[in-house]
Amino acid sequence: MTIAVDALKRTRPEWSPWLAVVVEALRETTEERWERIVPRPDPDRRPPLLDGSSIVIDEGAARDLLIRLMRTAVKSGTPKMASLEAALRFDLDVPGLFAASVCQDRDRISEEAAVCGADEEAFQAVIALLAIPFLQSCNRRWASPLTESYSEGSCPICGSWPALAEVRGIERNRYLRCARCGSEWLSRVLHCAYCGTTNHEHLASLVPEKTGSSGAIEACRRCHTYLKVFTRLQGSKPAEVMLQDLASVDFDVAALDQGYTRPVRPGRDIQITVVTTAPQWLPWNL
């Protein structure tokens, strides 16, 4: 992860303040406390596996992470991120925001931003990172059986749309990758991940002008969406997919210039229940 971050800082030095916030979230993905709150999946539940889950979080740990993310963002010095100082002084609904982060509930996050007086865009960006350590832990616990049997367009764990696709090795197997939980799942060729069309007349490929590039853009004329596709010997590590997505922003700009977009809403809406651990009371001897 360090190599990918350093490369991004060199090529996009103006991103360094925001990268510091992203790295803070990704560094937390190695902490065992998030592994402990991954629920046991229902064997009869269809993907996305998080849908319908009950999650018992350590509110103190979640609040600590949120405060660190916001403080790092405030240090960036940008006016929008500086507005998060107001949120730090506010009694935020951490369990509610954690649930909204997992479910990508932008409306709920916007409501909280308005209440605490923070810039909505900056607040959305930071809250989106709050669930990343938990989601990456879910991927580590649940991913293996899914890679071989699942081939839908949205993430089998959290319901997100893929950030990119990887065509790997000599076999050229194609995998979709989720930037949030880092999961990977097999994908069909000549198939739009978003609307499901296999009509070749609706599918287009945009190739970068720069020679030697290992990537391309697959676009769908039917739903006007696009997907970045990269040829690699092996897949990116789960925690690096988000960084790879950021590093390929030139592809996003090219696709947008041609009128293609990525959906704002997730591929599948999920519902979860978030409860907090009860405080541990120690005996008091009078």
Side-chain angles (χ1 to χ4, degrees), residues 219-245:
C220 177
R221 298 190 183 100
R222 182 186 179 199
C223 64
H224 305 289
T225 57
Y226 73 94
L227 180 67
K228 297 180 288 188
V229 183
F230 299 95
T231 301
R232 295 189 172 128
L233 290 175
Q234 57 186 11
S236 302
K237 295 178 181 179
E240 293 182 352
V241 178
M242 184 180 295
L243 298 174
Q244 296 292 340
D245 187 29

Side-chain angles (χ1 to χ4, degrees), residues 254-265:
L256 291 169
D257 284 345
Q258 295 297 317
Y260 298 103
T261 62
R262 291 203 282 193
V264 175
R265 296 190 61 83

